[in-house]
């Protein structure tokens, strides 16, 4: 077993939701805040030490197609281009029960519980394993106490509905705040490290 850290990043509303009341595709409440300097710097912090991206099917399908177009976009923010290049080039492990083949470079599909996939990834390789904005995967790993660091961007919106990251039933754990930064529009970049 290596000492690879498992990290996760996600944006949350003040009332703890990771999408709006309109359902899983409702990101409208978050959009004004995820392209700020604070949010972009938070994303850079999340991926800069990661050598594996662990994704759910929905996040893979939504992210990879979009971000691959940003790599060569000279008008894009350099931090966005850096993230895009990382996402395109990094080893990607996509958890899915429905996909059979990965339509992306450097990606493989795995039909297995998140905890067993993380155990396999931690047994080999180097660098951090980033659960990249995949809330169902993050929730499954929180339930097994397998996340070592959380990169949370909290936006100053109450969505009034949507799915929550922290459900009842996850084990009690203690975390240390290792970074915090507030943005001018009220967004907060928070990094919590698991106390073990």
């Amino acid at each position: 077993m290596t000492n690879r850290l498992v990290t996760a990043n996600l944006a949350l509303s003040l009332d703890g939701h990771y999408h709006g009341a309109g359902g899983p595709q409702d990101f409208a409440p978050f959009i004004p805040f995820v392209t700020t300097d604070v949010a972009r710097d938070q994303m850079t912090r999340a991926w800069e030490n990661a050598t594996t991206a662990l994704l759910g099917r929905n996040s893979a399908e939504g992210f990879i197609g979009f971000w691959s177009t940003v790599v060569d976009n000279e008008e894009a923010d350099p931090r966005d281009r850096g993230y895009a290049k990382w996402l395109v080039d990094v080893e990607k492990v996509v958890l899915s029960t429905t996909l059979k083949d990965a339509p992306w470079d450097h990606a493989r599909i795995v039909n297995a519980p998140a905890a067993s996939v993380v155990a396999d990834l931690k047994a080999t390789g180097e660098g951090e394993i980033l659960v990249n904005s995949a809330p169902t995967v993050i929730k499954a790993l929180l339930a097994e106490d397998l996340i070592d660091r959380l990169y949370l961007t909290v936006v100053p919106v109450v969505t009034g509905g949507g799915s929550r990251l922290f459900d009842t039933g996850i084990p009690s754990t203690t975390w240390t705040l290792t970074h915090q930064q507030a943005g001018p529009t009220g967004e907060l970049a928070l990094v919590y490290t698991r106390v073990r």
Side-chain angles (χ1 to χ4, degrees):
M1 184 72 70
T2 67
N3 58 359
R4 300 183 78 182
L5 295 180
V6 179
T7 67
N9 72 295
L10 199 61
L12 297 176
S13 64
L14 284 178
D15 52 345
H17 298 114
Y18 53 83
H19 62 72
Q25 303 306 316
D26 180 10
F27 296 109
F30 299 88
I31 290 173
F33 308 101
V34 296
T35 57
T36 66
D37 284 337
V38 167
R40 283 182 164 123
D41 290 345
Q42 176 84 326
M43 179 57 76
T44 300
R45 263 188 298 282
W47 69 260
E48 64 188 350
N49 294 314
T51 57
T52 302
L54 182 58
L55 303 154
R57 179 185 57 84
N58 290 335
S59 56
E61 290 177 338
F63 284 2
I64 298 171
F66 171 78
W67 286 104
S68 63
T69 67
V70 177
V71 173
D72 296 318
N73 181 352
E74 293 182 8
E75 296 178 13
D77 185 285
R79 292 164 293 189
D80 291 348
R81 290 183 70 190
Y83 170 71
K85 181 169 180 16
W86 171 81
L87 185 61
V88 168
D89 293 344
V90 77
E91 173 194 29
K92 290 171 283 294
V93 178
V94 180
L95 300 180
S96 177
T97 59
T98 57
L99 291 175
K100 301 302 177 205
D101 297 306
W104 315 287
D105 291 338
H106 313 291
R108 61 189 167 98
I109 307 298
V110 179
N111 180 358
S116 65
V117 172
V118 163
D120 289 346
L121 289 171
K122 287 186 73 144
T124 60
E126 296 178 350
E128 295 177 0
I129 301 160
L130 173 61
V131 186
N132 197 26
S133 294
T136 56
V137 178
I138 296 170
K139 289 165 80 165
L141 296 175
L142 283 171
E144 300 289 335
D145 192 18
L146 291 174
I147 294 184
D148 301 300
R149 185 172 298 130
L150 286 168
Y151 295 91
L152 301 176
T153 302
V154 179
V155 302
V157 172
V158 173
T159 63
S163 299
R164 293 181 186 277
L165 178 61
F166 300 105
D167 289 328
T168 302
I170 63 172
S172 175
T173 54
T174 302
W175 300 76
T176 298
L177 180 65
T178 55
H179 178 85
Q180 61 182 327
Q181 183 180 6
T185 57
E187 72 279 10
L188 290 172
L190 305 170
V191 180
Y192 286 97
T193 300
R194 175 76 171 92
V195 177
R196 298 203 185 272

